[in-house]
Amino acid sequence: MPVSNRLKNQHLLWRAAFGPMTENIADLDNISQKNLWHTLLKTSADKPQAINVASNLFDGAVKNIEDLSQFSKLTQDQKKQLQVQSREDIKNLNLRWMYEMINSQAQFREKMSFFWNGHFACRIINIFYQQQLLDIVRNNAFGNFGDLLRQVSKSPAMLQFLNNQQNKKQHPNENFAREVMELFTLGRGNYTETDVKEGARAFTGWSYNLQGEFVFKDNQHDDGVKTFLGKTGNFNGDDIITILLEQKQTAIFITKKFYRFFVNDDVDDEKVNWLADRFYQNNYDIKKLMEDIFTSNWFYDEKNIGTKIKSPVELLVGIRRLLPMELANDDSQLLFQRLLGQVLFYPPNVAGWPGGKNWIDSSTLMLRLRLPQIITDNEVVNIVPKTDDDVMMGQMMEERITQMQNNSYAAKGATAIVNWNAVTDAFKNVKREYLLPQISSEVLQTQSRVSDNLLGKYIDNQSREEFIKTLIVNLMSTPEYQLC
């Protein structure tokens, strides 16, 4: 069965963005994929505004502390107050970024940033460092991978998360060097334990201050000769990153992650190798790699459309892009993220979220199917997340607070006012008898779907508006809507 032009465009919008938005969904029948791709690039061309949510309390405290040693002089109550405020600010950062994903015209930039946020997984309770890392990612989302890698590697967030402030000559800490190779560049099995040890020596002295600035501490750096990936010299951390970028394996590893995230979990090695060659030859130009993917004919093959399970964030954002709405309680989005297994800025571990079929189990699937009804019918959320000490980083007090907040969110429900007028207006030129197939093709990416007869039992035929509303909500409540 040939893939329609509309389906190809929706495929591009789900992979290079967060799905179609109500006001432009009617335009997808006629525009070419090439023109749509150029539109995505054009709308993401401007430098993004930094998202700054740090409270005055945290801001003032940090500005008055000149270095890390002074932080230890704060009282326990002062430290606790800063930590509580920082956690609250990170929740606000979560919601602000979600808002950008939903509403920003720079959809390609935000989707690429979302990918890198998972690739460079980082989980620390410091709002300044977290929002600084997000700013780095959003500014370099489709620039040069080498530049992005260096800036992330020198960010206080990553240096703290991977313990490099403890990496000193005579007492090297191997965690940072290992993860830079295993998770950021080469992938497991493409380096030796000796490479880890020698790399760690090169990264000694890489540190930061409370103001979020990278600091090289010469007195803590091992300036001896190292042998790393077959090369010998008096290497420092920048030299190690240069050597890693010289490895063709880095291009292959990154390209394979791109393929799984943007194309298909079932990797086509021949295509990955071709893409990786181009990526390497183009000096790690991310935009050129994405252009190679999104302008290729094979990207729009039927086997790549409607085959990926939406992550929780993609699911939540996609619903809100198609159904413009105002939530009475924005914090309910935090509860949904937690229930579905993806809380922004709280990856489960250093490897990030595994994705794919890991998103689905019996409890998350049931909630996914109920979610559209919960939001549009103002149902009460009567599910409370179980305690997850790993995700909450051992902060049992925070866990108890979170548990109380979740109960509060649940009691309030997820009351939303959906702008159904905007939704029905998007279909104003569609005749009543064609509404069902037209809306089905716009809401679902899969060829297989619930039968029209079965859908008909749950659709309200009292008016055109109710027909459209109940049809969309029921389509979003099917297993097929979990795929993009």
Side-chain angles (χ1 to χ4, degrees):
M1 184 176 180
V3 179
S4 69
N5 191 66
R6 161 173 289 282
L7 192 58
K8 289 179 181 179
N9 284 329
Q10 289 175 179
H11 178 54
L12 178 58
L13 287 177
W14 271 112
R15 301 301 177 81
F18 288 96
M21 206 161 192
T22 308
E23 53 259 38
N24 61 30
I25 197 165
D27 302 326
L28 298 180
D29 282 315
N30 300 315
I31 189 172
S32 69
Q33 285 75 62
K34 183 178 180 181
N35 286 342
L36 182 56
W37 163 243
H38 287 310
T39 299
L40 286 169
L41 285 179
K42 184 178 180 181
T43 53
S44 293
D46 292 340
K47 179 182 173 67
Q49 281 194 324
I51 302 175
N52 186 350
V53 299
S55 70
N56 291 333
L57 170 70
F58 201 86
D59 188 40
V62 172
K63 285 179 179 176
N64 290 324
I65 298 174
E66 295 299 325
D67 57 48
L68 290 169
S69 63
Q70 287 184 263
F71 184 76
S72 62
K73 298 176 183 178
L74 296 177
T75 67
Q76 287 301 314
D77 283 346
Q78 287 174 320
K79 290 179 182 178
K80 182 178 178 181
Q81 189 178 13
L82 284 175
Q83 289 172 346
V84 169
Q85 184 60 56
S86 190
R87 291 187 187 108
E88 193 62 33
D89 287 344
I90 288 173
K91 292 173 185 175
N92 293 332
L93 183 65
N94 181 325
L95 295 175
R96 277 285 302 277
W97 193 23
M98 282 273 287
Y99 178 87
E100 291 297 319
M101 293 177 188
I102 295 163
N103 298 292
S104 173
Q105 285 193 323
Q107 281 288 290
F108 177 57
R109 179 183 301 282
E110 299 308 330
K111 188 59 174 284
M112 293 299 299
S113 301
F114 180 58
F115 167 81
W116 290 120
N117 183 253
H119 180 75
F120 294 114
C122 183
R123 193 179 69 195
I124 60 165
I125 303 298
N126 182 306
I127 181 57
F128 271 132
Y129 298 168
Q130 277 285 17
Q131 67 185 23
Q132 181 193 54
L133 180 58
L134 179 60
D135 192 45
I136 290 170
V137 164
R138 293 176 74 228
N139 273 283
N140 295 275
F142 51 93
N144 181 272
F145 173 68
D147 293 342
L148 174 60
L149 176 64
R150 288 184 195 278
Q151 289 187 42
V152 168
S153 298
K154 290 183 177 181
S155 70
M158 198 59 72
L159 290 168
Q160 179 180 326
F161 184 46
L162 298 181
N163 311 118
N164 207 68
Q165 73 273 25
Q166 300 167 20
N167 187 20
K168 305 171 184 178
K169 66 179 179 181
Q170 309 303 330
H171 301 286
N173 183 302
E174 298 172 3
N175 195 32
F176 183 84
R178 183 184 302 278
E179 305 307 357
V180 167
M181 286 186 281
E182 179 179 327
L183 301 176
F184 299 169
T185 55
L186 299 176
R188 186 176 296 178
N190 295 296
Y191 55 87
T192 67
E193 284 301 306
T194 299
D195 292 324
V196 175
K197 294 179 186 299
E198 297 290 270
R201 291 177 58 210
F203 283 117
T204 52
W206 276 34
S207 190
Y208 56 90
N209 61 27
L210 277 176
Q211 284 71 41
E213 299 163 333
F214 173 78
V215 175
F216 177 69
K217 296 184 176 180
D218 186 63
N219 64 327
Q220 295 179 2
H221 177 63
D222 182 339
D223 59 2
V225 173
K226 301 105 180 164
T227 298
F228 179 76
L229 292 175
K231 294 195 172 188
T232 300
N234 182 12
F235 299 139
N236 59 29
D238 278 309
D239 297 325
I240 294 300
I241 289 177
T242 297
I243 294 170
L244 288 169
L245 291 169
E246 289 171 351
Q247 309 301 307
K248 180 69 175 297
Q249 174 57 31
T250 294
I252 294 171
F253 177 72
I254 298 299
T255 303
K256 191 170 287 188
K257 285 197 74 170
F258 270 111
Y259 194 93
R260 285 199 176 102
F261 187 89
F262 292 101
V263 183
N264 201 312
D265 286 321
D266 187 9
V267 173
D268 184 323
D269 288 327
E270 183 179 345
K271 288 184 173 58
V272 165
N273 289 333
W274 181 82
L275 290 167
D277 280 339
R278 302 255 303 168
F279 191 36
Y280 189 71
Q281 290 163 9
N282 287 324
N283 190 33
Y284 294 97
D285 187 314
I286 301 167
K287 183 168 72 173
K288 287 183 178 178
L289 173 61
M290 303 317 296
E291 189 153 73
D292 281 340
I293 293 173
F294 294 138
T295 61
S296 68
N297 290 328
W298 51 260
F299 174 73
Y300 300 95
D301 286 346
E302 187 178 346
K303 67 179 180 180
N304 293 325
I305 299 177
T307 56
K308 282 188 60 64
I309 299 172
K310 296 171 187 173
S311 71
V313 168
E314 288 171 318
L315 177 68
L316 292 165
V317 172
I319 290 173
R320 293 200 59 188
R321 280 180 62 75
L322 191 60
L323 300 181
M325 67 181 72
E326 291 292 330
L327 291 176
N329 179 17
D330 278 342
D331 285 356
S332 62
Q333 294 174 106
L334 301 173
L335 174 60
F336 289 139
Q337 285 182 27
R338 187 133 190 247
L339 286 167
L340 294 172
Q342 186 179 38
V343 182
L344 293 173
F345 309 113
Y346 284 90
N349 51 54
V350 292
W353 295 278
K357 293 180 180 178
N358 294 286
W359 292 128
I360 301 292
D361 59 31
S362 56
S363 61
T364 58
L365 179 58
M366 290 302 293
L367 178 58
R368 279 170 171 260
L369 298 180
R370 281 187 56 207
L371 194 58
Q373 203 79 37
I374 290 171
I375 294 173
T376 59
D377 283 0
N378 302 333
E379 289 187 12
V380 170
V381 186
N382 55 14
I383 309 168
V384 177
K386 63 182 180 180
T387 298
D388 186 347
D389 192 37
D390 178 52
V391 170
M392 302 316 293
M393 295 175 284
Q395 303 290 342
M396 293 308 295
M397 178 58 72
E398 180 187 7
E399 180 62 34
R400 287 193 287 272
I401 294 171
T402 301
Q403 207 64 357
M404 291 168 60
Q405 288 176 331
N406 287 336
N407 281 316
S408 173
Y409 304 156
K412 293 177 183 176
T415 307
I417 299 174
V418 179
N419 183 358
W420 285 110
N421 288 334
V423 178
T424 55
D425 191 57
F427 302 101
K428 63 184 178 184
N429 296 323
V430 181
K431 292 182 179 180
R432 179 68 176 262
E433 60 265 32
Y434 298 126
L435 275 176
L436 196 152
Q438 179 74 18
I439 293 176
S440 294
S441 69
E442 295 180 6
V443 174
L444 303 179
Q445 286 297 98
T446 58
Q447 295 286 2
S448 63
R449 53 195 57 174
V450 177
S451 72
D452 293 353
N453 288 337
L454 182 58
L455 271 175
K457 296 179 180 179
Y458 297 93
I459 299 173
D460 188 336
N461 280 291
Q462 292 184 49
S463 67
R464 181 183 176 90
E465 290 73 21
E466 283 301 310
F467 181 90
I468 292 172
K469 174 182 175 180
T470 53
L471 174 58
I472 290 176
V473 171
N474 279 290
L475 286 170
M476 285 182 166
S477 302
T478 62
E480 286 81 2
Y481 186 71
Q482 309 309 312
L483 300 169
C484 68

